[in-house]
Amino acid sequence: MKLIRFGEIGKEKPGVQLENGTRLDVSAFGRDYNEDFFGTDGLEQLKKWLAGNESSCPKVNDSVRLGAPLVRPSKIVCVGLNYAKHAAESGMAVPKEPVLFFKATSAIVGPNDDVVIPKGSKKTDWEVELAVVIGKKASYVSEENALDHVAGYVLHNDYSERAFQIEREGQWVKGKSCDTFAPVGPFIATKDEIKDPNNLNLWLKLNGEKVQDSSTSDFIFNIQEVVSYISQFMSLLPGDIISTGTPFGVGLGFNPPKYLKAGDVVELGIEGLGSSKQTAKAYSGK
Ligand code: ZN
């Protein structure tokens, strides 16, 4: 199943996208895609409900805005430097264990919303990433059981302000959490749709030119390792997002580095998870 949410910002409704691309409004099911939904068997219940009600679900026009395909979760946990070539282009060593950081959940936007270059930013950069959506609370889980705690997968652009991230004191969070820095979607593909999350092509284009083109088979730490590892330090709750790191080809790695300016168009995609597109916009004080 492919979960979507659609409508105006802040008023999104739940929907599904069918195999043929048709989008259906499933608000009559009565539940949005939040912690309670993922944690209390919502996916299975929705599937059963759809089997009897699909034909009466209103169609959603393609022109309707897509929101992030889940309600704002308790946290976004990101893995840094999870591809060897990206660690090298960032001038950092390949880590011995996963590097973790948080991204503010207030950064979440729809997959095709504008990305706002923050006030004072000169180094806004892109990062195509495979994100995992947690389906069942995970605390001290083994690698062997890690995928039992996963609901599905989603495309994420982990926008990053490199000066805020690296040149300011302390932690990476400052460069990762600006408003609009987490476009998520177009849809969550449930786990059954993705045969091997550790072997998916992912790519990103800047103004039509491909700058990232890799595969999650190049992960240093795969999905099972990452879910298990994070759960040794915190409980992952249903609906939480884990973003698994970006491959080679970010703006920071160009010589000279390349950063976003107003009007730039960023498109990205992952095999089986669709694509998204953001236009960069200058901060306007709103
Ligand atoms: Zn990242």
Side-chain angles (χ1 to χ4, degrees):
M1 215 163 27
K2 293 182 174 71
L3 308 182
I4 59 165
R5 289 169 74 253
F6 64 92
E8 284 172 52
I9 294 176
K11 292 179 185 167
E12 291 91 348
K13 293 176 176 176
V16 293
Q17 183 173 312
L18 304 179
E19 279 316 300
N20 64 10
T22 303
R23 293 167 177 167
L24 298 179
D25 179 341
V26 300
S27 30
F29 173 62
R31 300 180 74 179
D32 204 351
Y33 305 145
N34 55 19
E35 181 180 336
D36 182 61
F37 171 83
F38 290 108
T40 60
D41 208 27
L43 279 174
E44 274 311 306
Q45 288 171 23
L46 173 60
K47 204 168 157 187
K48 280 187 198 138
W49 181 87
L50 263 177
N53 293 278
E54 190 177 299
S55 56
S56 58
C57 290
K59 281 193 180 141
V60 180
N61 200 293
D62 282 351
S63 62
V64 175
R65 170 185 174 269
L66 287 179
L70 75 178
V71 175
R72 187 186 300 147
S74 86
K75 52 193 170 293
I76 305 173
V77 189
C78 297
V79 183
L81 311 172
N82 199 20
Y83 293 80
K85 266 181 90 182
H86 173 63
E89 75 175 338
S90 306
M92 300 190 203
V94 170
K96 290 189 186 69
E97 55 186 318
V99 169
L100 301 182
F101 61 92
F102 280 122
K103 189 172 182 91
T105 56
S106 48
I108 294 174
V109 286
N112 305 310
D113 289 349
D114 291 337
V115 58
V116 177
I117 298 173
K119 196 174 173 180
S121 162
K122 292 195 173 65
K123 298 186 178 178
T124 295
D125 201 349
W126 54 84
E127 296 191 345
V128 60
E129 301 197 7
L130 171 65
V132 175
V133 178
I134 295 296
K136 188 168 110 188
K137 183 179 170 181
S139 175
Y140 302 109
V141 302
S142 64
E143 287 174 23
E144 199 184 6
N145 295 329
L147 291 185
D148 296 344
H149 297 263
V150 171
Y153 303 95
V154 67
L155 172 64
H156 174 222
N157 193 344
D158 177 23
Y159 278 109
S160 307
E161 213 297 336
R162 301 303 183 193
F164 299 179
Q165 177 192 352
I166 301 164
E167 298 165 27
R168 307 291 289 266
E169 284 294 340
Q171 233 257 354
W172 288 4
V173 65
K174 286 182 264 188
K176 297 286 189 171
S177 294
C178 309
D179 289 353
T180 75
F181 267 26
V184 177
F187 52 78
I188 294 171
T190 50
K191 192 171 48 177
D192 55 293
E193 293 215 354
I194 302 294
K195 272 202 196 97
D196 183 3
N198 298 311
N199 187 18
L200 298 174
N201 292 319
L202 70 175
W203 56 271
L204 182 143
K205 287 181 190 171
L206 173 64
N207 300 324
E209 182 199 344
K210 205 170 252 186
V211 290
Q212 292 188 283
D213 189 9
S214 190
S215 166
T216 61
S217 61
D218 290 336
F219 276 148
I220 297 170
F221 304 105
N222 70 21
I223 304 287
Q224 293 90 319
E225 290 171 306
V226 160
V227 171
S228 168
Y229 182 85
I230 298 171
S231 81
Q232 309 305 312
F233 300 94
M234 66 191 84
S235 286
L236 290 164
L237 301 181
D240 280 359
I241 294 173
I242 300 172
S243 202
T244 58
T246 201
F248 175 78
V250 300
L252 171 74
F254 280 77
N255 187 14
K258 223 179 220 187
Y259 296 115
L260 292 178
K261 52 184 192 317
D264 282 345
V265 176
V266 179
E267 292 168 272
L268 55 149
I270 301 183
E271 198 183 343
L273 297 177
S275 62
S276 67
K277 181 178 179 177
Q278 299 95 39
T279 302
K281 201 176 103 177
Y283 175 76
S284 65
K286 282 181 210 149

